[in-house]
Amino acid sequence: MIKSITISLMMLLVLPGLFAAEAIAISMEEAMYKAATQNLTIQQMNQKLESMELEKEIKNASYYPTILANGSYSYNSKEAGLQFTPLPALVMQSKERYDANVSIQQVLFAGFRVRESYQMSQNQYLAQKNQMESTRNQLRLGVGSLYLQIQATRLSRDILQQSRERALNQLMFEKQLLIAKQAVPFDTLEVSNRIFSIDTQIRRSQQSEDILLLKFNNFINDDTHTYAPTTLELSRRPMAWGSMSIFMELARNKNIEIKQISIQKKLQDNLIKIQKAALYPQLVGSFTYHEAKPGTNSFSTEWMNYYNVGVGFQWEVWNWKANYRKVEQQHIERTRLDLQEKQALQNLEQQVTETYKNMELSFDQINLQNRLVEQEAERYKMLQDRFRENQVTALDLSTGEKILTESQLNLQQQYINLITYQLQMDILTGKFGTGGQ
């Protein structure tokens, strides 16, 4: 039985190694950087950002005059003319008309619509850029969470392997006692079942890690390589941080979601001014140069050059206050955004406070759990000594080993929780800035 258990253990150790040999080790920081730059969602948003960059140039073109080139030709089947009785008729000599012209048009005044439209396109670009950074943060948090889940499965397997070795040593000792007729078969059966249960947990943990690795690499989106997280030494991770007031101030000033609402308020201000532009008249100036036959003299057959200069004027004087109502609508939306910003700040403060408290709680739990692991390890060692002296039963020893294993698993989970909360705090306080990592 011991031989079969040993073979199954070797298979569990070798198969994960084959998968890991094909993957490139990557740190959590590198994984978050790759996810924030290579993910397909980010690539799509980059394309949209490029389109909005062009939209800014399109809006900027409204500041400059428009140049148009036109040409026309027409033929009349009958001669045209004027008849004033009893005077002789005035007949146009040509049935054909030619006109080639170049015109320049310039908006002279549009109620500041042109300026606000351009500024709005700039703010829309900033909003899209900020939204991309928000998506990057979601990707960082997603890939970071997967990274830590993979760490948890690995660490739990390490602990289970240690538990298995303890159970296997106990089984070997009890078999010797059984041969010496100092133990009953039930004792060895109980330990054997414990070993098989541990093997099942290890196998399930490996399968879970394989699934997590698939999701992990999907976030990174690298067609040429497969990545696997490097193993963290949790006890060496930084365990000190600043006061909650520092985190709160950072969050208020750098949080991506708060910045997004601020940009939306600027966009709404642009919309209000654009809507107000409908209350003002619009002036358009134009200049046109002609080469025509006939020209301004319709009775001549000669080519003539001349120009036109003009100003167009349009003003919607009355439409039953529809434009005023539209302006009021935009002001109401602006007020709603103020309330949304206030609510977002309240939610942010709550999240920062909650995350900070969770960090403190996890830190305290780590200290307590460390002491508990030391005590349970010492207790298990005492149970081993007493078991060899036939002062406790095999069941007592197995129970002590289970409690030690559970305390070790709880300790590594508290480390994972703490790092997860630290990552969440980094997102809330805008640590990553714009672009990449």
Side-chain angles (χ1 to χ4, degrees):
M1 181 180 294
I2 295 175
K3 183 177 180 181
S4 63
I5 293 173
T6 304
I7 293 174
S8 65
L9 174 61
M10 291 177 63
M11 291 180 66
L12 287 170
L13 292 174
V14 170
L15 289 176
L18 292 176
F19 180 85
E22 300 175 359
I24 299 174
I26 188 172
S27 67
M28 184 165 67
E29 291 73 17
E30 291 172 330
M32 288 192 293
Y33 176 80
K34 287 183 177 294
T37 54
Q38 298 178 181
N39 189 273
L40 287 174
T41 300
I42 294 299
Q43 293 183 32
Q44 293 177 57
M45 297 185 79
N46 264 322
Q47 293 297 313
K48 188 173 182 180
L49 198 63
E50 290 180 13
S51 175
M52 298 186 78
E53 179 72 34
L54 294 175
E55 183 66 21
K56 287 168 55 181
E57 300 299 324
I58 293 171
K59 296 296 185 182
N60 189 51
S62 300
Y63 280 109
Y64 304 100
T66 302
I67 301 176
L68 302 173
N70 299 293
S72 65
Y73 166 79
S74 63
Y75 175 81
N76 294 322
S77 60
K78 293 183 178 181
E79 293 178 341
L82 296 174
Q83 177 67 54
F84 297 98
T85 306
L87 298 176
L90 299 175
V91 180
M92 296 180 185
Q93 300 297 318
S94 176
K95 297 181 180 180
E96 297 177 316
R97 298 183 65 85
Y98 303 86
D99 187 3
N101 61 79
V102 176
S103 64
I104 300 175
Q105 296 180 355
Q106 173 68 55
V107 177
L108 302 178
F109 180 75
F112 311 106
R113 181 185 280 108
V114 174
R115 182 190 66 187
E116 294 303 324
S117 294
Y118 176 67
Q119 290 183 354
M120 185 174 179
S121 67
Q122 289 182 310
N123 288 326
Q124 286 173 333
Y125 178 84
L126 291 176
Q128 176 64 17
K129 199 171 182 179
N130 203 68
Q131 182 61 44
M132 186 187 304
E133 189 58 34
S134 177
T135 303
R136 283 196 176 105
N137 279 342
Q138 295 174 17
L139 292 170
R140 291 182 185 112
L141 185 59
V143 77
S145 298
L146 286 170
Y147 189 99
L148 294 173
Q149 289 179 52
I150 293 170
Q151 296 297 322
T153 58
R154 289 179 179 177
L155 292 169
S156 65
R157 281 203 306 277
D158 291 341
I159 293 171
L160 289 171
Q161 293 291 359
Q162 297 172 18
S163 174
R164 191 183 189 283
E165 290 178 7
R166 292 192 292 264
L168 188 59
N169 290 334
Q170 180 182 348
L171 177 62
M172 294 174 67
F173 184 76
E174 289 188 7
K175 279 187 171 293
Q176 293 175 358
L177 293 178
L178 184 62
I179 293 174
K181 297 184 179 180
Q182 296 179 8
V184 296
F186 174 81
D187 293 335
T188 59
L189 180 61
E190 195 277 333
V191 179
S192 297
N193 288 341
R194 167 77 175 149
I195 292 173
F196 279 118
S197 174
I198 293 172
D199 287 344
T200 301
Q201 290 177 269
I202 293 174
R203 189 177 296 108
R204 188 183 302 119
S205 173
Q206 181 60 57
Q207 292 171 345
S208 297
E209 181 179 340
D210 292 342
I211 295 173
L212 291 172
L213 282 170
L214 289 174
K215 295 180 179 179
F216 180 77
N217 281 280
N218 186 57
F219 267 94
I220 294 176
N221 187 44
D222 190 332
D223 296 332
T224 57
H225 299 96
T226 300
Y227 296 93
T230 54
T231 301
L232 291 176
E233 293 187 33
L234 298 181
S235 59
R236 296 187 178 182
R237 298 288 294 184
M239 296 296 167
W241 49 82
S243 64
M244 186 164 64
S245 60
I246 294 176
F247 286 120
M248 197 69 74
E249 188 66 23
L250 287 171
R252 291 193 188 103
N253 294 330
K254 295 187 177 182
N255 182 266
I256 296 297
E257 308 307 324
I258 299 301
K259 285 183 178 180
Q260 186 71 352
I261 297 177
S262 178
I263 295 173
Q264 288 176 352
K265 288 169 63 176
K266 291 180 181 179
L267 282 169
Q268 192 61 32
D269 290 337
N270 295 139
L271 282 172
I272 290 172
K273 292 177 181 179
I274 290 173
Q275 198 62 56
K276 282 184 177 179
L279 304 177
Y280 298 96
Q282 298 184 45
L283 298 176
V284 179
S286 65
F287 171 85
T288 307
Y289 177 80
H290 292 264
E291 286 283 347
K293 176 186 176 182
T296 55
N297 184 357
S298 300
F299 300 98
S300 173
T301 60
E302 301 297 326
W303 283 91
M304 180 182 294
N305 55 58
Y306 61 98
Y307 64 87
N308 302 118
V309 177
V311 176
F313 173 87
Q314 182 179 355
W315 191 3
E316 191 174 53
V317 179
W318 181 255
N319 64 352
W320 304 100
K321 294 188 177 181
N323 289 330
Y324 287 97
R325 300 289 185 264
K326 291 178 181 178
V327 173
E328 289 177 10
Q329 279 184 324
Q330 300 304 328
H331 278 294
I332 292 172
E333 177 63 17
R334 181 63 169 76
T335 304
R336 188 194 68 80
L337 287 173
D338 287 335
L339 295 173
Q340 182 180 344
E341 183 180 42
K342 184 177 179 180
Q343 182 182 19
L345 282 169
Q346 290 177 349
N347 294 339
L348 178 62
E349 290 174 359
Q350 178 186 346
Q351 291 172 356
V352 170
T353 303
E354 184 178 338
T355 304
Y356 190 88
K357 295 294 184 183
N358 285 330
M359 287 166 60
E360 288 186 323
L361 177 61
S362 295
F363 181 75
D364 291 340
Q365 288 295 316
I366 287 172
N367 291 331
L368 292 172
Q369 201 67 33
N370 261 318
R371 291 199 292 269
L372 181 60
V373 168
E374 292 174 358
Q375 292 175 3
E376 291 299 336
E378 184 64 26
R379 178 172 175 269
Y380 178 72
K381 185 178 179 181
M382 294 171 60
L383 285 172
Q384 280 184 311
D385 294 339
R386 297 182 66 184
F387 176 72
R388 288 187 174 89
E389 296 171 0
N390 204 26
Q391 295 181 5
V392 297
T393 65
L395 186 59
D396 292 332
L397 183 60
S398 293
T399 302
E401 195 281 323
K402 289 178 183 178
I403 294 174
L404 174 58
T405 300
E406 289 174 359
S407 63
Q408 290 174 327
L409 289 171
N410 286 334
L411 175 60
Q412 63 92 12
Q413 186 57 52
Q414 291 302 325
Y415 274 113
I416 294 295
N417 290 344
L418 177 58
I419 300 173
T420 301
Y421 292 135
Q422 288 176 327
L423 177 59
Q424 291 174 357
M425 186 65 82
D426 289 342
I427 298 295
L428 290 172
T429 55
K431 174 184 176 181
F432 297 99
T434 56
Q437 188 172 327

